[in-house]
Amino acid sequence: MSTLRVLGLFNDFDAASDAIRELCSANLPTLNVDNITIKSPIEHPDVESLLGTRPAPTRRYTLIGAILGASLGFTFIASSQGNWFAQMKGGKPIIPFPPDFVLTYELMIMWGVYVTVLAFLVCAGLPARMKSSLYNSKISEDQIGVMVKAEKNCIDEVKKIFQRHNALKIEEEIVERRRRER
Amino acid sequence: MLRDWTKYRTTHPTGDLNKDHPEYKWAMAIDLDACTGCNACVVACYAENNLPVVGKKKFLHGQVMHWIRIERYWNDEDIDIPHQGAQFMPMLCQQCEAAPCETVCPVGATNHTPDGLNSQVYNRCIGSRYCSSNCPYKVRYFNWYNYPEQENAWPDPLPMQLNPDLTVRTKGIMEKCTFCVQRLYEAKSKARTEGRLVKDGEVTTACAQSCPTGAITFGNLVDPYSKVGKMWRQQRVDLSKDVQDKDRDGNPEGIRGYRVLEELRAYPSIMYLERVRDTQA
Amino acid sequence: MNDFNKEEKDIRDDIAWAQINKDVLQSIEKPRAAFWYLFAFAGTLFAIGVGCEIYQYQVGLGVANFDNPHMWGLYIASFIFWIGMSHSGTLLSAILHIIHADWRKPIYRFAEAMTTFSLMTAGLFVIVHLGRLWQVYYALPYPNERWAWPNFQSPLLWDATAIFTYLTSSMLFLYVGAIPDFAICRDNAEGWRKNFYTVLALGWMGTDRQWRNFRVSYMTIACFLIPLAVSVHSIVASDFAMSQQPGWHITSFPPYFVAGALYSGCAAIITLFIMLRHTFRFEEYMTMPILDKIARLTFAIAMVWTYLNFIEYASVWYGDDMFAKQVLIQKATGPYSPFWWAMNFLGSVLPFTLLFKKIRSNLTAMLIISLLLNLGMWLERWMIVAPTFSHGYYPWTIDHDQWPSFVQWGIVLGSFGWFGLLFMLFCKLVPSVSMYEVKEMVYHRTLGRKHLAQLREA
Amino acid sequence: MSNINRRDFLKVLGWGGASLTVAGCGYTSIESGVETVESYVQPQDFVVPGIGIYYASTCTQCEGGCGVHGRVREGRILKMEGSPETPNRGRLCGLGQASVQHHYNPDRLKEPLLRQGGTLQPTTWDNATALLVEKTKGVGDKFAFLTGPLSGHLRVLMQNYVESLGSKNHFIYDPLAIKVNRSVSEQMYGVAVPCYHIDQAQLVVSFGADFLDTWLSPVHFSTQYADFRKANDSKARGVLVQIEPKMTVTGANADRWIPIRPGTEGVFALGLANALLQDPAYIKNVPSSVTAAVRGYDKTRVSQETGVSGEVFDRLLALLRARTPSLILSGPSAEGHAHGAQNAAAIMLLNFVLGNVGKTVTAPAKVPFPQMAPADGDTVALNTFNEGLAQGRFQTVFMYDVNPVYTAPEFLKLRDNLKKAGFKVLFTHYRDETAEEADLVLPLDSALEDWGTHIAAYQPEGVTITMQQPLMERLYPEGTRSLGDLLLELLKRRSPEEYKKWPDYYSYLQDALTKNKSAFKDSAADDGLFWYQTLSHGVLNVAAVKEQHLSAAPGALNVNLPGTAASDQEFPFQLVPSIRSGFRDGRHANLPWMQETPDTMTTIVWDSWVEIHPKTAERMGIREGDILEISSKNGSVKTQAYLFPGIQPDTVAVPLGQGHEAMGRYAKGVGVNPFKILNPVFEKTTGELARYATRVKVSKTDDRVTVVKDEGWSPGMINTQLDRKIVATMAADKVKLFREE
């Protein structure tokens, strides 16, 4: 028996959040809270909080990036200065601290930022293929979508709940087994 | 330590000359009482170092290329009638031991050689001109134009005069006095093949060589028997000091040696001997 | 309490989200004719600059009328100026973002764009200024058979690193911040634009997961950008402060430079604010109250700058270093004195006009003032660079008569053209008002009002 | 045994009338080409590519005649350096070093030019020589040869040639001649060019003698000056006092520079003499006639006439008393007046009064070979030559090493007079002003391509013949010729018997010198070796020279110096046409190095200027760079003003050497030529042109330019050190003395 995905479009966050609350309380057999996704035109922490805490681990990578940048940066600079010792400079040591500090600082930030962006893309699952899931251009405008993935049997229930919270529009699609689910 | 951080700032010159420069430390002593301002040194430099003649228009814009210049100052006291004559100053690259120009070059085109020269690597220079901006003496000269090709600074057959021992510099690079490094190299390699060091008087710069009054003395400061070394010791000028001991108490003995803008702590390698005027006259 | 409704609002909170999309997207499609006039104007300026550069490249830097001692001129001055401009973007997007000043939301996008493009312009000057710009890659630390590396002790190299970092980071910041808007464009555009935005949007669908990570990362980058921005201009300041030339070797330079940077940046934002507001019909979003806020901010920074400026003079004066003092006196009395006094007037006196509500609420006045402020800031940079060269340590090479040739002026004009072109292209391709954040803004206002209503009932 | 008699033979070789025994007349023909000289035809084994080798020669840039070494690499002459074997201790002035630029000058003439249809057209040497022969056929006294100063074998050939034509018109012209000094020296000391020992003097008082830069033998005097200045515990530092209207380089180095009203130097000198002769210690030094003659020149009169304050006068007097021996020099600015000879006499008198004669002024050795002795030029020669032209006495005119059309003052109208001569030949290197007037212009070898022997007019020690030898192959083998070769060839046509033995000037020189080698110090027995040494050392010191003797007492001193000229209303200023060491009389104006090298005193380049005292300028509302018109009775020049404190307030100075209408790309149209505006004032006794006697008026025009100079600052600001310790100065009595190491 197949799994389906339904998307309900709501006019505002209140409607959407009510719908979600009911979904959670309706304790449908095959419905997992983690399978509820909100699609919204603006970020909305309160609504997201209904779904329980979900991880956003980018900061960890940021730290790694920064440390990498600093250490590698300094090593590179110092070593290149060291092996070009012909570069005796106006009475300064061969590996002078102040300039190397400045450069290390810059490289730390550089890598920090790069890795953060990288991490963001990975964690947010970007870039993603649109076809892979339900979407409606209204979402990018002013409507809030609630997407639920569940077994066929309780889908109708979900739809009912959506209608009860006067969803403007309800779409659904069958999920092929093969595809990794999101 | 709290009072004098400076000793922690520089590692060079250390104060021990033989440690900084085991073999050679080229240096000069210029006697301003002997210098008559005749410009022979300037022409000698043009001839030895392939300096382009820039012409009136570019000279007007201050783009002249003389590596050594004779400066003429007037005494502010008797400005109406300069009873004591004029004041002449042969100014060339001071080959500083802690050269301000070296640290700022982004590509490391100007470095300190083991001989204590302030080298300029023409083919590395990208022409940011930071070195000249930071030079207190303003003795670095930039190739604002392409003198060899575009500006026709040497119309035929003048190029036949060019010294093959060094290059003709092209557009967009910095150049300056090298203490006639081509001569030094020749002398050093000759000495090396004979398994010895260069002897005093064996090599000299074009300017020192031509100077009619012998006001310029050039030599190796490390060599204890060199004339220049003796003069520096005699005048009690220490390469690695920014204030000479003799000057701390106002130089009562009347020792003439000094270095220009010494207080900037660039440790120049050229010692000047004060000009003398007779007060009875 | 009652005056809450009466007070003029940063933005109408009953404006429909769909309307926001419509207005902003329209700006990309069909701006006012003024846009095209400006575009042509910028183009001409740029053409002039390119012409001058070709001439200079062919003949040599001499045609720019540099000499010994005047080694640097308008190029470096303008370089600092453009670096300074770039700081406003960071200020509005990063700092105000962190302190949750949400009035920034309608205007930070173009401010950030400004950051990126003025950095690009500044970069140009570094290249133009070089004697052998075809060898510029020597400054990169690439492995080579000679084992020759750039000189990491040179402040110029710190510059290069810092600016590269800053440029790339702010570009990423700009891009990441714009992803949700690209999604909007994608959903509404047709033809090539459709594909264009589809690529840029990276398949953004506004899922909670995306928003969550977006929020976190965006904030993190913002946190990085602030110290970065400060370091960038301090390093530019060290180009001078680290040298030992009289008039440059001043401890207070780094903060002084940063303040000046924010100052000119804000002024520039006002200018662009007014221009965009007109050309793209953004009256709804770039509202007078916001302008008012920026104006106040500008005034505050102007005062900081003024303070540091006088600190600098004072420290030179009381420091009583003969050389530095002579340079200062020469600035005030020498050939550069007109510009120096103009700089001080425009930088320190003119901003006091911003104290008057009448002026703050008059667009034309604000436009003119903002332009003048920027002129003052440009002069400041010039007055930092030039006088030291004309009156340095060495008396023989003290030379008071060197005037930048038309080539220098031409290339400086060109840089404004180049910046203009880039910026206007950007406005044509990327929504210059952040739609999703304006929505957030409106949304939060609505909540706020609801909440207040409830309070009233209670 | 040659078939010509010994006397002629000696004369031909230049030893005629020699006061030294000349080696016997045994004569072997020379297989020319056997003793080739290093450097070209076939390279010697020591010629290694990439390594510079040095050849000795003589510098011909000025009359100093310094020995030089030329650095040659791969057959190219690269650089001129002083020869350590000559009295100038291996030093060389800028002008000397610039001789390579004469050699490689892009504007050098590369082919003979013949005037055809009014313009100069290229022609062949065969043509040219044929013309020379044809035009000199039977000219006799209708032939005139105008040359610059000459010495050595070139002078010999020159004389022999002129004689062989049966003409007496050999004019030796030097626009910067110091003939007055020489004739007065003759009269006072008994020798024309005494030796001055600056290094042994404790005090040098120079009346405008710029011995460090332009006078007699600058490099040699500079070397002496170095010792003169050096103080050690054996000898006190010498003091230099310079008295002149316009500060020269020597003046700039003086301990005391005294600006004096031009022309009153004599009065000042007599004043000093008078004051000294109050003192019995000095009276004995001179005959009583002198003491009587100088009486009346008391301090008040002196300071009133010379404009020098009594205080300065006394200081100098004290110095003269305190420091012996001293040395008093008379220079051009004192001699260049109608009463110049009297000035000079008065000045030289001081040396007698102070008893310097025999100490710092000594007798030179006598040049034993009259034919080769240096023939120094004068300006009288030009006048006579010019008269001759004016009267159309000359049919054929040869000119060598002169540029009269440029150097002759306007009032001589030389350009027009030259037209009256039938055929005018110029031997030269450049197509200069005179070339433009000539009918045949013959390009000569450069000084670095040519052979020669020189005897400098000033002989510091003994008598030295300096060799001039080619430092490289001819740049234009087909184009240029050696004047020596030419004269030899022409002489062969006149008297083949005497000259046919020598294929060229080189073999002639070699033969001449080898013949007489016994006359020189430690010369090798073997001819070949002797010749080799001669060339490698470049100097021949005459053995056993006769010392001349100075007259014990000054020659008759007949002084009646004019009082100060009543101030001239129309021409209020005195003009000083100052000499620039880099340009001399203008012959070096086409050297780019000389144009680019800043003038020592003003640091101006590539132009002329008029030096005017800041106070005077202020009075007349003149700023630096204003174009001023300097006009005398005989013309005017327009040039930029330069405010110069080192000048007497009623005097203006314009440097000589610039303002060429032709000559080459570097000289043409640069600056102005003050020679032109000189007045016809002549020195009474010698008839020399009084170069410093021209009075001018200065008028401001509306034009203004930026003065192109090396010194920075803003226009008109007097360049001081701004309280920095750049050039530090110490009082002589404070200086610590060190024993010379």
Side-chain angles (χ1 to χ4, degrees), chain C residues 10 34 67 107 128 150 152 160-161 230 254 260 285 298 305-306 326 331 346 365 370 388 405 444:
Chain C
D10 294 336
D67 74 350
I107 58 171
V128 167
F152 294 105
T161 326
V230 173
Y285 310 96
T298 313
W305 178 84
T306 310
Q326 280 181 358
K331 278 181 185 170
L346 295 175
S370 65
T388 291
S405 78
H444 292 137

Side-chain angles (χ1 to χ4, degrees), chain B residues 61 63 71-73 91 100 103-106 123 125-130 132-134 138 144-145 150 171, chain C residues 57-58 60-62 65-68 71-72 129 131-132 138 149 151 154 156 239 243-245 394 396:
Chain B
H61 287 296
Q63 292 158 343
E71 299 164 0
R72 191 269 298 110
Y73 298 105
M91 177 47 71
T103 44
V104 295
C105 174
N123 50 9
C125 176
I126 60 172
S128 77
R129 313 193 290 293
Y130 200 172
S132 175
S133 316
N134 212 21
K138 293 282 176 278
W144 300 110
Y145 296 91
Q150 290 174 5
K171 178 172 70 183
Chain C
Y57 182 96
Q58 291 301 337
L61 274 168
N65 208 358
F66 292 119
D67 74 350
N68 181 19
M71 283 289 163
W72 293 351
H129 150 92
R132 300 202 300 170
Y138 281 174
W149 300 97
N151 172 19
S154 168
L156 279 189
D239 287 352
S243 89
Q244 67 171 170
Q245 291 304 299
Y394 204 72
W396 188 254

Side-chain angles (χ1 to χ4, degrees), chain C residues 79-330:
Chain C
F79 162 75
I80 312 170
F81 174 76
W82 284 111
I83 296 281
M85 292 276 271
S86 68
H87 280 52
S88 54
T90 326
L91 173 76
L92 265 92
S93 46
I95 301 178
L96 297 184
H97 177 65
I98 286 172
I99 62 174
H100 295 297
D102 73 348
W103 56 267
R104 75 179 247 287
K105 290 188 154 104
I107 58 171
Y108 85 94
R109 171 71 47 77
F110 78 79
E112 261 176 51
M114 210 173 86
T115 300
T116 311
F117 297 134
S118 42
L119 277 170
M120 290 180 174
T121 321
L124 275 193
F125 273 107
V126 179
I127 313 278
V128 167
H129 150 92
L130 286 184
R132 300 202 300 170
L133 54 94
W134 50 92
Q135 303 286 36
V136 63
Y137 62 90
Y138 281 174
L140 306 176
Y142 63 96
N144 57 78
E145 75 282 5
R146 289 183 221 78
W147 289 99
W149 300 97
N151 172 19
F152 294 105
Q153 295 181 24
S154 168
L156 279 189
L157 207 75
W158 313 347
D159 260 355
T161 326
I163 291 169
F164 180 74
T165 313
Y166 193 30
L167 180 60
T168 47
S169 313
S170 56
M171 275 169 118
L172 288 170
F173 192 50
L174 177 61
Y175 175 64
V176 170
I179 289 178
D181 278 2
F182 286 133
I184 300 178
C185 302
R186 172 198 62 202
D187 296 344
N188 297 279
E190 290 88 20
W192 67 271
R193 280 172 174 275
K194 180 95 185 163
N195 313 335
F196 176 66
Y197 292 120
T198 316
V199 175
L200 286 179
L202 300 174
W204 176 271
M205 284 182 298
T207 65
D208 50 306
R209 177 188 178 195
Q210 290 169 337
W211 277 121
R212 213 163 44 245
N213 289 291
F214 177 85
R215 191 169 61 241
V216 177
S217 326
Y218 194 70
M219 182 60 92
T220 321
I221 303 178
C223 297
F224 269 122
L225 274 188
I226 293 158
L228 176 58
V230 173
S231 76
V232 167
H233 223 50
S234 329
I235 286 174
V236 172
S238 3
D239 287 352
F240 302 90
M242 295 268 171
S243 89
Q244 67 171 170
Q245 291 304 299
W248 286 359
H249 189 55
I250 295 171
T251 322
S252 67
F253 255 26
Y256 175 53
F257 269 51
V258 174
L262 297 176
Y263 189 2
S264 57
C266 286
I269 285 175
I270 296 179
T271 318
L272 294 177
F273 181 100
I274 296 168
M275 288 181 172
L276 290 176
R277 180 186 155 100
H278 175 70
T279 49
F280 292 139
R281 310 188 181 82
F282 279 152
E283 291 79 2
E284 284 290 350
Y285 310 96
M286 304 188 175
T287 59
M288 296 314 285
I290 296 182
L291 180 60
D292 190 75
K293 286 195 172 61
I294 313 172
R296 291 184 203 170
L297 184 65
T298 313
F299 176 76
I301 297 174
M303 289 305 107
V304 176
W305 178 84
T306 310
Y307 168 73
L308 287 164
N309 194 24
F310 285 107
I311 283 293
E312 182 204 328
Y313 300 153
S315 58
V316 168
W317 193 259
Y318 293 109
D320 200 35
D321 169 50
M322 180 183 75
F323 305 107
K325 213 167 179 175
Q326 280 181 358
V327 174
L328 183 57
I329 293 169
Q330 192 252 137

Side-chain angles (χ1 to χ4, degrees), chain B residues 49-82:
Chain B
N49 292 307
N50 303 343
L51 304 186
V53 167
V54 302
K56 188 176 185 181
K57 188 167 155 295
K58 295 187 177 66
F59 205 115
L60 168 64
H61 287 296
Q63 292 158 343
V64 60
M65 300 298 286
H66 48 38
W67 285 0
I68 177 173
R69 57 176 185 247
I70 297 292
E71 299 164 0
R72 191 269 298 110
Y73 298 105
W74 296 110
N75 185 355
D76 356 28
E77 279 79 54
D78 47 16
I79 202 77
D80 284 345
I81 303 169

Side-chain angles (χ1 to χ4, degrees), chain B residues 106-234:
Chain B
V107 293
T110 174
N111 303 302
H112 219 61
T113 70
D115 301 5
L117 290 182
N118 176 240
S119 70
Q120 179 71 24
V121 188
Y122 299 136
N123 50 9
R124 177 75 177 171
C125 176
I126 60 172
S128 77
R129 313 193 290 293
Y130 200 172
C131 52
S132 175
S133 316
N134 212 21
C135 173
Y137 309 92
K138 293 282 176 278
V139 284
R140 298 181 142 260
Y141 297 89
F142 189 73
N143 286 271
W144 300 110
Y145 296 91
N146 183 342
Y147 290 108
E149 284 91 18
Q150 290 174 5
E151 300 302 318
N152 191 26
W154 293 277
D156 284 335
L158 273 177
M160 290 177 78
Q161 183 274 328
L162 293 174
N163 185 353
D165 294 345
L166 68 155
T167 61
V168 175
R169 282 75 57 188
T170 178
K171 178 172 70 183
I173 58 176
M174 191 62 73
E175 64 185 60
K176 65 166 193 66
C177 163
T178 62
F179 270 176
C180 289
V181 72
Q182 65 278 11
R183 294 182 172 205
L184 303 182
Y185 267 63
E186 199 177 344
K188 275 166 64 182
S189 52
K190 185 163 169 289
R192 206 178 298 114
T193 47
E194 297 168 15
R196 58 177 175 85
L197 291 181
V198 175
K199 291 198 287 297
D200 191 42
E202 190 176 348
V203 62
T204 185
T205 61
C207 50
Q209 180 182 28
S210 68
C211 180
T213 57
I216 307 177
T217 314
F218 176 83
N220 178 5
L221 211 53
V222 180
D223 174 0
Y225 303 108
S226 67
K227 185 155 185 283
V228 75
K230 281 175 188 154
M231 290 175 79
W232 279 62
R233 285 196 299 282
Q234 196 177 51

